[in-house]
Amino acid sequence: MNILFVLGGLLGLVLGGEYLVRGAVALAQRVGLSPLVIGLTVVGFGTSAPELVTSVQAALLGAPDIALGNVVGSNIANILLILGLAALIAPIGIARRSFARDGTVMLAASLLCLGLVMLGRIDRLAGILALVGLATYLIYTFRSDRDSQQAAEPLPDQARIGLALLWLLGGLVLTIVSARFLVTGSVALAQAVGLSEAVIGLTIVAVGTSMPELVTSVIAARRGQSDVALGNVVGSNIFNILGVLGVTAVIQPVNVAAQNATLDIWVMLGASVALIACAAFGGRVTRGQGAAFALAYAGYIAVLLV
């Protein structure tokens, strides 16, 4: 039954994230947002809805290791696994000017997460500061791109506002229900097989809640929309730390597991630096670098399981 909970929760998160993002993008296009801004905010933050709901419910259910492991593990998977696979499909070009801003915010958020993890506890004050940082970033992004970016072209089958809202709300409800099943089943499985909640959060839960990002980035890469694929990953990573962890800590302060402090947070920081290095020195993520990212992720998972 717990296995069915996990599988059903994962499937529900994928479907819920798909409809949530579809509705959010349709609404954003009505407003005339650019593809980059849609990738960074609407798609990036929308695909992080599973992480948000899952982490909050994990904290409320008394599983803080899953709550933090979900955030850190999702950020690692976003860069090494998702961006790696997307780059294998098609090299991802990086607009250095815009990435200089967004990559800097992603690195700053990662360093903030590192500091909080080293303190051993993420309290409500830290959560409030993270949410203030997220709001500041959003306001600045919309203002700076409002005049410099071209408006997004509407899709031929662009949904009506009512249908878009229906997708958005239906996807959110499905995501909330699925996250509850995923967390409940994952906690029970961790206890049954002797795995720590931190490992479950970093693997099954993190990859499961990152499925919307994976689907979105791969589809964007296949369509040649590298700005959406990259913006999706960067925006999601920023929101995971400042938004997901911020909201979770405000609702329920999170204690840090030893493993998060000794291994996982450093892998997340290293992945962020590697992406920034690709942007700084090459202006793109090549297929070779994508393969290296994917192999690094496989090695990280192997270390966790061992």
Side-chain angles (χ1 to χ4, degrees), residues 239-257:
F239 184 76
N240 281 346
I241 295 174
L242 300 182
V244 174
L245 204 56
V247 170
T248 304
V250 169
I251 295 175
Q252 180 68 44
V254 178
N255 293 319
V256 178

Side-chain angles (χ1 to χ4, degrees), residues 101-186:
R101 175 198 65 203
D102 306 312
T104 299
V105 174
M106 182 183 70
L107 180 60
S110 299
L111 291 172
L112 171 64
C113 187
L114 171 64
L116 295 175
V117 167
M118 290 297 103
L119 290 175
R121 179 178 170 83
I122 305 174
D123 57 18
R124 288 189 172 89
L125 177 59
I128 292 172
L129 292 177
L131 292 175
V132 170
L134 178 63
T136 302
Y137 167 71
L138 284 176
I139 293 171
Y140 178 77
T141 297
F142 278 105
R143 285 183 175 178
S144 62
D145 284 347
R146 184 170 49 193
D147 299 324
S148 62
Q149 297 291 340
Q150 295 180 349
E153 297 181 3
L155 294 174
D157 58 344
Q158 188 179 44
R160 294 173 298 178
I161 293 294
L163 184 57
L165 286 172
L166 183 62
W167 283 341
L168 191 67
L169 295 176
L172 182 60
V173 171
L174 182 57
T175 298
I176 292 173
V177 174
S178 301
R180 181 63 178 245
F181 281 113
L182 177 61
V183 172
T184 301
S186 297

